[in-house]
Amino acid sequence: MNGERGSVEMGRDGYLPLFETKVAKGRILYRCYAASVFVGIIFIWVYRVVHFPPAGAQLLRRWAWMGLFPSELLFSFYWFLTQLVRWSPIYRYTFKDRLSQRYEEVLPGIDIFVCTADPRIEPPIMVINTVLSVMAYNYPSQNLSVYLSDDGGSDLTFYALLEASRFSKHWLPFCRKFSIEPRSPAAYFSTTSEPPDSNPLMAQEWLSIKELYEDMKNRIETTTRLGRISEEIRKEHKGFLEWNSASTRHDHQSIVQIVIDGRDPKAVDSEGQPLPTLVYLSREKRPQYHHNFKAGAMNALIRVSSKISNGSIILNVDCDMYSNNSESVRDALCFFMDEEKGHEIAYVQFPQCYDNLTRNDLYGTCFRVIIQVELPGLDSNGGPFYIGTGCFHRRVALCGMKYDKECEREWKKENDRRGRESASVLEESCKVLASCTYEENSQWGKEMGVKYDCAVEDIITGFSIQCRGWKSVYVNPERKGFLGVAPTTLLQSLVQHKRWSEGHLQMFLSRHCPFIYGHKKVPLKLQLAYSIYNLWAAYSLAMLCYVAVPSLCLLGGISLFPEIWSLWVLPFAYVIIAKHAYSLGEFHWYGGTIQGWWNDQRIWMFRRTTSYFFAFLDTILRILGFAETTFAVTAKVCDEDVSQRYEQEIMEFGSPSPLFTISATLALLNLFSFVCGVKRVVVDIQIKPLESLVLQIILCGVLVLINLPVYQGLFFRKDKGTMPTSVTYKSVSLALLACSIALY
Ligand SMILES: *[C@@H]1O[C@H](CO)[C@@H](O)[C@H](O)[C@H]1NC(C)=O
Ligand SMILES: *[C@@H]1O[C@H](CO)[C@@H](O)[C@H](O)[C@H]1NC(C)=O
């Protein structure tokens, strides 16, 4: 046993903690606000009950009422759940200097997993930038191992990784010497496009490193474009022998290549310092075996890494998420190694942030409020969920171990595990761990590792870790730990949400339902917090109802809200204004623009009426036995003109999709109703119906305003990103049909 255990014990009481937790301020004021909104909501319910249309009233009005009231109840429930996570959010801060003072000599091994799935959608040059950024962590290299899992089984990716391993010999010393940030070469050179003139020594090195990088990038991109590896390159490394003419993406043996063996004394950078271990893994694929998507890759990585480096902490990142902060490993260790609370923490989740965001974030990608308010709220309710990337795990917890007071694990020195085997022997012996049959009749994917059979496998994996008694923490440092590539079209964004909300609903309806699986294992408030997201898809019904029914009724002159001079208007007005004013304030407080908030409202409406609705339908159909799960990887590359429109914040429609048909139809419906409503006011001047329809006209007007980009896409734009003609025809006919039904 090493000396560290002793120091942990000694230090239990005497040492200052490695992290601190602060509770959000201003909660009393917030709770008063929440209570007042709640009173308003109760009055709305009372109104709905008291004014329920009597039996003799118009049939349509009764039906509409029966649609709106449950929708309002559902919205209230959602509101209640979101208050729960706002009740007392907590924020975590680390003390990295204390960590290095106490533990610099005995830092644990870290295994970093980078997952990629398809070289066409995730270009190899992007993947290796992520790999280089994590290889360059400010952390002792002999304790760092980086694994690239390539589910595309592509020699192009392998080739790029070889290039990266060569480049790292220059890149790592450069980062170290000049404390470069961020350490992804692409991100660094795009932010620093000139050599810094303050330091002539650095300027010289900067130029030569930049040239090396550009050369490498050109070679990789040329090869990627060609789509195959030339004979000369093939001869350079024995690893290429693993690919033969028969291998395809979906049918090949396991490939394990230790590209840099960190234990080899010859594996040093240009300054003679050791390099981190770098491993390429492509697990076996056979058409007759189900490969379980990313969860399957993660489990293969867990096994293979346990044989090669067996780091006690695992970090996993998606291949498009480079490290923007070379201190993140140390941030995470401050939690795991804290003498007082560290032993019960299973994972440390960093937020998913993006570097391709435009100023007003047209597609609401950055989840400002979720990242800054809701996740800290989850943390205080029992722990954030695991979101599948940017997360540090304790290996034993991820592997399925229960938390147990007695099992405070000592940090194992990894090297004693791996004997004296040479790299090539090790490569061979690891292959079986990544084979298709290895998991047959085992607990992998069930009680061990990442769980299978769910579109949000990461969420249920994290939840089951919490249910095994472990804690998790959320940390969101000022300088973001990981930055990914944001979706650049509306469709990508909506499809991503469809997958998430579908997975969440699937979780809710499965045995992993927070209330069943978590019963008596995690606090009720955590179960409730999970259901905020689990039920995303279900709220789509309420949203659809609220967007469509009042408009349709406006056409027919049917009033669904109180008359403008009645006192019943007050609760509606108060709840709506207070809620949105608060949401705007919250958004703005965390650095959003007002336009950004407006865009955020729009995208939430689109998500609820389209992505979540389809997710809901698909889930129900699957339960009834009609459809299969499919995984759509979102593309990380896009055309020049698409990027241009993205930069200009012009909404991108472009491809015909049923998602667009729904939102266009709803937008048109609102437009027709609004015009009709205004016409009643101006032309007919019938005072009586007007009074009772004012709220509906306002609601319709707001919906029309929020849908402006849709009308532009339907009728006014000429570029390639407009609404496809087929969608326009379909939505106009559908909207007209709905209107005529409502009118007669
Ligand atoms: C991300 O943004 C940068 C700079 O705005 C741009 O050069 C790059 O092409 C973008 N990437 C994608 C995938 O849109
Ligand atoms: C990423 O890192 C750079 C350089 O350290 C920093 O300037 C930038 O603010 C970081 N980005 C985010 C989103 O935190």
Side-chain angles (χ1 to χ4, degrees):
M1 190 151 311
N2 53 60
E4 186 208 339
R5 172 97 182 148
S7 66
V8 170
E9 231 118 72
M10 237 168 44
R12 174 129 310 163
D13 296 316
Y15 282 138
L16 292 167
L18 293 179
F19 72 92
E20 65 174 350
T21 304
K22 287 189 178 157
V23 181
K25 295 202 189 72
R27 286 300 99 179
I28 305 271
L29 215 60
Y30 175 76
R31 288 170 196 174
C32 295
Y33 151 82
S36 73
V37 172
F38 186 57
V39 172
I41 290 179
I42 291 189
F43 274 105
I44 294 182
W45 295 348
V46 173
Y47 171 80
R48 287 283 174 224
V49 174
V50 171
H51 291 82
F52 194 85
Q58 278 164 299
L59 194 59
L60 192 57
R61 181 146 186 262
R62 276 173 74 91
W63 278 12
W65 213 271
M66 282 189 266
L68 282 198
F69 188 28
S71 305
E72 279 157 353
L73 288 177
L74 210 54
F75 281 137
S76 313
F77 180 62
Y78 181 70
W79 179 85
F80 166 75
L81 292 180
T82 54
Q83 298 321 296
L84 212 64
V85 291
R86 279 165 176 75
W87 212 241
S88 63
I90 53 176
Y91 299 92
R92 316 268 193 183
Y93 302 92
T94 58
F95 302 106
K96 294 188 281 284
D97 48 337
R98 296 181 190 164
L99 178 81
S100 20
Q101 266 169 24
R102 273 178 247 164
Y103 295 116
E104 194 61 39
E105 300 309 315
V106 286
L107 288 172
I110 312 278
D111 289 350
I112 303 178
F113 300 168
V114 180
C115 296
T116 179
D118 188 334
R120 287 161 305 169
I121 296 176
E122 302 166 331
I125 185 73
M126 177 184 79
V127 176
I128 62 151
N129 266 292
T130 301
V131 168
L132 284 164
S133 74
V134 295
M135 283 174 81
Y137 270 127
N138 171 18
Y139 199 73
S141 290
Q142 58 276 22
N143 292 350
L144 204 59
S145 309
V146 179
Y147 294 80
L148 176 66
S149 155
D150 178 17
D151 263 357
S154 162
D155 48 1
L156 301 172
T157 308
F158 178 65
Y159 165 67
L161 193 69
L162 271 186
E163 288 280 355
S165 72
R166 292 179 200 137
F167 178 68
S168 70
K169 296 186 179 162
H170 306 278
W171 179 246
L172 268 49
F174 178 69
C175 289
R176 208 164 43 226
K177 201 147 64 176
F178 303 108
S179 303
I180 298 299
E181 292 286 351
R183 296 191 172 181
S184 143
Y188 173 70
F189 288 121
S190 76
T191 51
T192 320
S193 49
E194 298 275 306
D197 27 78
S198 55
N199 182 347
L201 181 73
M202 178 176 174
Q204 209 179 6
E205 283 204 35
W206 190 95
L207 286 171
S208 69
I209 293 278
K210 167 126 182 163
E211 198 185 322
L212 275 178
Y213 175 69
E214 292 298 333
D215 285 350
M216 171 180 76
K217 183 174 164 195
N218 285 337
R219 285 196 300 274
I220 293 177
E221 288 185 339
T222 315
T223 320
T224 312
R225 223 171 303 124
L226 269 176
R228 58 180 184 80
I229 305 289
S230 69
E231 278 312 311
E232 286 104 89
I233 298 176
R234 272 184 185 280
K235 290 198 194 97
E236 284 173 21
H237 197 278
K238 65 171 178 40
F240 289 111
L241 296 174
E242 304 278 337
W243 279 268
N244 54 38
S245 52
S247 352
T248 67
R249 283 195 65 179
H250 304 293
D251 194 0
H252 65 81
Q253 53 157 336
S254 337
I255 304 173
V256 182
Q257 286 292 314
I258 302 181
V259 178
I260 300 177
D261 182 358
R263 297 192 333 148
D264 182 351
K266 290 200 292 288
V268 288
D269 61 27
S270 62
E271 300 201 323
Q273 298 294 318
L275 283 168
T277 297
L278 182 62
V279 179
Y280 174 88
L281 165 71
S282 181
R283 63 197 165 114
E284 185 184 19
K285 290 277 180 68
R286 299 295 174 203
Q288 66 272 32
Y289 285 96
H290 189 52
H291 58 81
N292 293 307
F293 310 104
K294 188 173 139 195
M298 282 287 292
N299 287 341
L301 279 165
I302 293 175
R303 292 192 299 268
V304 168
S305 66
S306 74
K307 191 99 180 177
I308 297 177
S309 52
N310 200 31
S312 46
I313 301 294
I314 290 173
L315 161 64
N316 92 285
V317 287
D318 284 347
C319 66
D320 66 333
M321 290 213 109
Y322 65 87
S323 148
N324 195 50
N325 186 344
S326 65
E327 299 291 331
S328 300
V329 175
R330 288 169 186 268
D331 275 321
L333 285 182
C334 284
F335 295 100
F336 290 120
M337 300 189 75
D338 182 73
E339 291 80 359
E340 180 82 27
K341 307 200 187 88
H343 56 87
E344 57 185 19
I345 294 172
Y347 60 90
V348 176
Q349 177 68 60
F350 282 68
Q352 186 164 8
C353 299
Y354 300 92
D355 75 341
N356 257 61
L357 295 180
T358 51
R359 192 174 132 72
N360 299 316
D361 194 11
L362 187 61
Y363 303 124
T365 311
C366 91
F367 282 131
R368 204 171 290 281
V369 170
I370 294 192
I371 281 178
Q372 310 261 22
V373 185
E374 297 193 357
L375 278 165
L378 251 99
D379 198 355
S380 81
N381 283 3
F385 34 63
Y386 161 46
I387 54 180
T389 179
C391 186
F392 289 84
H393 280 276
R394 191 185 287 275
R395 183 183 282 269
V396 288
L398 188 57
C399 285
M401 189 151 140
K402 276 207 178 69
Y403 175 71
D404 157 3
K405 270 222 156 45
E406 299 311 309
C407 84
E408 295 180 17
R409 303 289 290 192
E410 65 280 0
W411 301 95
K412 255 207 215 81
K413 272 258 176 271
E414 304 71 44
N415 291 350
D416 53 353
R417 169 75 176 245
R418 190 191 138 179
R420 293 274 129 216
E421 284 167 298
S422 76
S424 48
V425 173
L426 203 56
E427 284 168 359
E428 283 309 311
S429 57
C430 284
K431 280 187 177 174
V432 61
L433 300 177
S435 67
C436 289
T437 49
Y438 187 86
E439 294 184 350
E440 277 178 357
N441 305 321
S442 75
Q443 285 300 316
W444 285 100
K446 299 184 194 110
E447 295 306 316
M448 283 169 89
V450 180
K451 299 201 173 223
Y452 293 156
D453 298 327
C454 180
V456 290
E457 75 277 342
D458 24 36
I459 308 277
I460 55 172
T461 303
F463 187 59
S464 62
I465 291 175
Q466 290 171 332
C467 289
R468 287 197 294 264
W470 295 92
K471 294 258 166 18
S472 62
V473 298
Y474 173 70
V475 59
N476 182 12
E478 187 78 10
R479 171 141 57 83
K480 300 294 173 250
F482 304 92
L483 295 180
V485 179
T488 49
T489 70
L490 180 60
L491 191 59
Q492 281 173 12
S493 161
L494 292 179
V495 167
Q496 200 176 41
H497 269 268
K498 171 171 179 277
R499 180 159 62 81
W500 286 337
S501 56
E502 194 172 333
H504 270 290
L505 186 61
Q506 207 184 337
M507 168 176 171
F508 193 78
L509 299 175
S510 73
R511 71 185 185 93
H512 288 109
C513 172
F515 298 109
I516 298 170
Y517 196 77
H519 183 62
K520 297 225 171 109
K521 295 188 187 133
V522 297
L524 179 64
K525 55 186 183 175
L526 186 62
Q527 299 169 19
L528 287 166
Y530 266 84
S531 24
I532 297 181
Y533 310 93
N534 282 176
L535 291 175
W536 265 357
Y539 304 124
S540 67
L541 300 180
M543 193 69 184
L544 274 174
C545 198
Y546 236 78
V547 169
V549 172
S551 302
L552 286 173
C553 288
L554 180 59
L555 282 172
I558 298 169
S559 156
L560 297 176
F561 294 96
E563 287 183 11
I564 189 73
W565 306 122
S566 135
L567 280 180
W568 285 110
V569 166
L570 289 179
F572 281 93
Y574 178 72
V575 169
I576 289 170
I577 294 173
K579 180 183 173 301
H580 287 95
Y582 180 82
S583 129
L584 174 61
E586 189 176 65
F587 195 87
H588 197 55
W589 175 260
Y590 291 108
T593 59
I594 294 179
Q595 176 75 39
W597 176 77
W598 184 244
N599 289 340
D600 203 50
Q601 302 301 307
R602 176 185 313 115
I603 198 77
W604 275 107
M605 185 183 83
F606 284 0
R607 284 170 192 159
R608 291 196 177 124
T609 51
T610 61
S611 315
Y612 297 175
F613 178 57
F614 274 89
F616 186 79
L617 285 186
D618 272 4
T619 310
I620 301 299
L621 285 180
R622 201 176 22 255
I623 288 175
L624 300 178
F626 288 112
E628 283 274 301
T629 312
T630 46
F631 239 73
V633 182
T634 26
K636 306 285 154 55
V637 276
C638 54
D639 298 344
E640 188 59 31
D641 56 333
V642 173
S643 315
Q644 212 170 19
R645 282 192 289 275
Y646 176 71
E647 307 269 314
Q648 293 167 351
E649 306 197 319
I650 299 175
M651 197 160 260
E652 181 74 31
F653 301 101
S655 39
S657 158
L659 299 175
F660 294 158
T661 312
I662 296 202
S663 36
T665 307
L666 290 171
L668 288 172
L669 181 62
N670 285 309
L671 183 65
F672 296 155
S673 309
F674 182 65
V675 170
C676 178
V678 171
K679 186 183 140 268
R680 270 176 209 275
V681 178
V682 180
V683 184
D684 306 356
I685 320 205
Q686 299 164 319
I687 296 302
K688 186 75 184 75
L690 176 64
E691 280 182 352
S692 59
L693 290 176
V694 171
L695 284 192
Q696 256 154 291
I697 296 180
I698 296 178
L699 176 64
C700 252
V702 173
L703 288 171
V704 168
L705 277 183
I706 208 162
N707 276 316
L708 282 181
V710 180
Y711 308 127
Q712 279 171 351
L714 279 170
F715 304 120
F716 301 113
R717 277 166 48 192
K718 294 273 176 298
D719 54 66
K720 274 200 218 152
T722 62
M723 203 68 97
T725 342
S726 62
V727 174
T728 311
Y729 285 134
K730 264 188 236 161
S731 53
V732 170
S733 346
L734 282 174
L736 286 177
L737 184 68
C739 289
S740 29
I741 292 177
L743 277 174
Y744 299 105

